[in-house]
Structure formats: structure tokens, C-alpha cells
């Protein structure tokens, strides 16, 4: 079935460093790739998304890149801050009209 | 304020006692979905609905029921809850299905404990 692999499962960085989270997907028909941030006690919140006709998208300190040939996409956070600490999920828009989520990455930013 | 509202936020109950978790959205969204979140497993889809009176199974539908009689509401029903349904549940909605690339808006979750 459709699958999304996410790595790493945990990531610890020093404040000010960059963080990169990578995902691969199996369904070549996927055309929508959102990233969600989940803080403790809250539901996931969309932070950035990209569609298959675009290779890269940036929003301030956050950027996402997509390689459709290799079926992988990545989240890049620059100049990390303690408030970036959270669990991040990638997802791929499946051919069935639903979203398939990765298992999540727990990011810790140390002051 | 645009939001997805789930109730209750927390529930401790016993095996076999029917329960319903309500979900309501005020954004006139067509697509609604239920997920469960378990440690190490991420978010897994239980059921989804593309529009009123249209529902489909997700990846883990066993033991759950849903209904979509109105556009704004999408309740999750556990007819005979069992301990393996202890989990954190999220309802989400989006303007339309993801073949059109629409972001999903999530509620704040319902933590269910089945003893």
C-alpha cells in the first residue's frame, strides 16, 4: 500500500543551527506534500506545503524541497529557535484522495 | 474564528460501553477525516468523508463507525470500545479532497482511555 517514510525520528540541534527532515513516498501519483508541526497538547498545524509542479518553496526560515523523480521531499529550518521544538510530520496526498503521514520527527532545539 | 472542535477532550471509560466523539467545523469544508495517533506509529486514518452522506474507510477502520448527515459534523462512534482503542484521536477538515492539494485543519484532539 501507499507509504511515507520519515527520518530521523528524533533530532537535536543547537539554537541557531539548521535542521533537516527527510521523507520518501511510494505512490507516484501523489501530488501534494504538506508539513505539519505538532506542539504538546495540540493538533498538528500546517506550516508549509508544496505541490508537484514546484521544486522548492520558502517561507521565512522554513523551506521545502521536492524531488519527484526520486520521490522524496525535505523540510529545512534555518536559524532554529527553542520555539521550533515540536514534533514534525510530513505527508503525501495519496491517489485515493487522502493524506498518508510519516511517523514524525521530534525536534529539540537547545538554547 | 475558523476551527475544528472536538468533544470531549478527555474520556476514561470501560470496555463495551458505547461512546461518541463529536467533531464540528465552521469553515464549510467538504472533506472531513478521523485519525488516531499512537507512539511510534504517527497519524493513521480511520475514516474520511468527501461530502455529506459519503464516507470511506481509511487505514484502520475496524471497531469504528462514522456518519456525515450534515456538512459541519462528523462524529466518530465506538460501538463496543476495547482497550486497543486507547489512543489520541484527531478530527480534521479541508475544503476538498487532497487530489486538489488542500491543507487539512486539525482539532486539538481527544484522548480516550478504555479500561
Amino acid at each position: 500500500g501507499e507509504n511515507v517514510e520519515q527520518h530521523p525520528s528524533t533530532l537535536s540541534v543547537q539554537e541557531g543551527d539548521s535542521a533537516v527532515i527527510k521523507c520518501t513516498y511510494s505512490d507516484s501519483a501523489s501530488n501534494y506534500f504538506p508539513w505539519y508541526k505538532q506542539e504538546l497538547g495540540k493538533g498538528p498545524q500546517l506550516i508549509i506545503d508544496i505541490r508537484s509542479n514546484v521544486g522548492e518553496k520558502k517561507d521565512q526560515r522554513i523551506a521545502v524541497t521536492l524531488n519527484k523523480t526520486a520521490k522524496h521531499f525535505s523540510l529545512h529550518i534555518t536559524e532554529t529557535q527553542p520555539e521550533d521544538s515540536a514534533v514534525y510530520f510530513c505527508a503525501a496526498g495519496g491517489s485515493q484522495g487522502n493524506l498518508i503521514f510519516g511517523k514524525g520527527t521530534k525536534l529539540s532545539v537547545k538554547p | 474564528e475558523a476551527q475544528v472542535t472536538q468533544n470531549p477532550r478527555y474520556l476514561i471509560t470501560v470496555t463495551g460501553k458505547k461512546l461518541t466523539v463529536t467533531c464540528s467545523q465552521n469553515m464549510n469544508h467538504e472533506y472531513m477525516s478521523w485519525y488516531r495517533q499512537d507512539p511510534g506509529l504517527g497519524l493513521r486514518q480511520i475514516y474520511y468523508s468527501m461530502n455529506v452522506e459519503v464516507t470511506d474507510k481509511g487505514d484502520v477502520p475496524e471497531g469504528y463507525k462514522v456518519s456525515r448527515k450534515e456538512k459541519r459534523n462528523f462524529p466518530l462512534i465506538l460501538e463496543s470500545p476495547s482497550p486497543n482503542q486507547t489512543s489520541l484521536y484527531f478530527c480534521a477538515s479541508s475544503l476538498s479532497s487532497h487530489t486538489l492539494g488542500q491543507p487539512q485543519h486539525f482539532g486539538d484532539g481527544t484522548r480516550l482511555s478504555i479500561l
Side-chain angles (χ1 to χ4, degrees), chain B residues 1-103:
Chain B
E1 182 192 346
Q3 59 186 0
V4 177
T5 304
Q6 296 179 226
N7 279 296
R9 293 291 315 277
Y10 304 91
L11 179 63
I12 300 174
T13 187
V14 296
T15 299
K17 187 176 180 184
K18 181 179 177 180
L19 67 91
T20 299
V21 185
T22 63
C23 174
S24 181
Q25 50 90 7
N26 63 359
M27 296 168 278
N28 200 36
H29 284 171
E30 290 183 348
Y31 183 97
M32 296 186 75
S33 182
W34 276 103
Y35 296 89
R36 61 179 288 173
Q37 184 176 21
D38 301 289
L41 296 178
L43 288 156
R44 294 182 292 167
Q45 191 176 49
I46 303 170
Y47 268 95
Y48 64 97
S49 169
M50 306 272 272
N51 213 326
V52 176
E53 301 291 0
V54 179
T55 62
D56 271 303
K57 294 177 181 179
D59 296 320
V60 287
E62 296 78 19
Y64 303 94
K65 281 176 58 177
V66 292
S67 69
R68 187 91 183 273
K69 293 185 172 59
E70 308 163 278
K71 200 171 189 179
R72 64 183 293 127
N73 296 323
F74 190 45
L76 179 70
I77 303 153
L78 284 71
E79 294 269 6
S80 183
S82 62
N84 65 8
Q85 293 177 298
T86 293
S87 187
L88 179 58
Y89 291 85
F90 288 101
C91 179
S93 73
S94 67
L95 194 58
S96 62
S97 81
H98 295 285
T99 51
L100 300 179
Q102 298 293 330

Side-chain angles (χ1 to χ4, degrees), chain A residues 32-103:
Chain A
Y32 175 64
F33 307 92
W35 285 88
Y36 288 85
K37 177 183 181 183
Q38 186 179 24
E39 295 173 331
L40 205 60
K42 295 281 189 182
Q45 282 201 306
L46 181 76
I47 54 171
I48 195 168
D49 57 10
I50 193 168
R51 289 168 174 78
S52 58
N53 58 344
V54 176
E56 185 173 356
K57 184 176 179 181
K58 195 173 181 181
D59 183 4
Q60 298 181 359
R61 296 186 296 109
I62 294 172
V64 57
T65 59
L66 171 65
N67 183 328
K68 280 221 80 180
T69 305
K71 290 194 281 189
H72 64 69
F73 56 113
S74 301
L75 177 72
H76 304 253
I77 306 174
T78 59
E79 300 170 29
T80 53
Q81 300 164 5
E83 51 265 38
D84 293 330
S85 296
V87 178
Y88 291 81
F89 290 97
C90 64
S95 55
Q96 303 298 316
N98 54 345
L99 276 182
I100 308 298
F101 283 84
K103 289 183 168 50

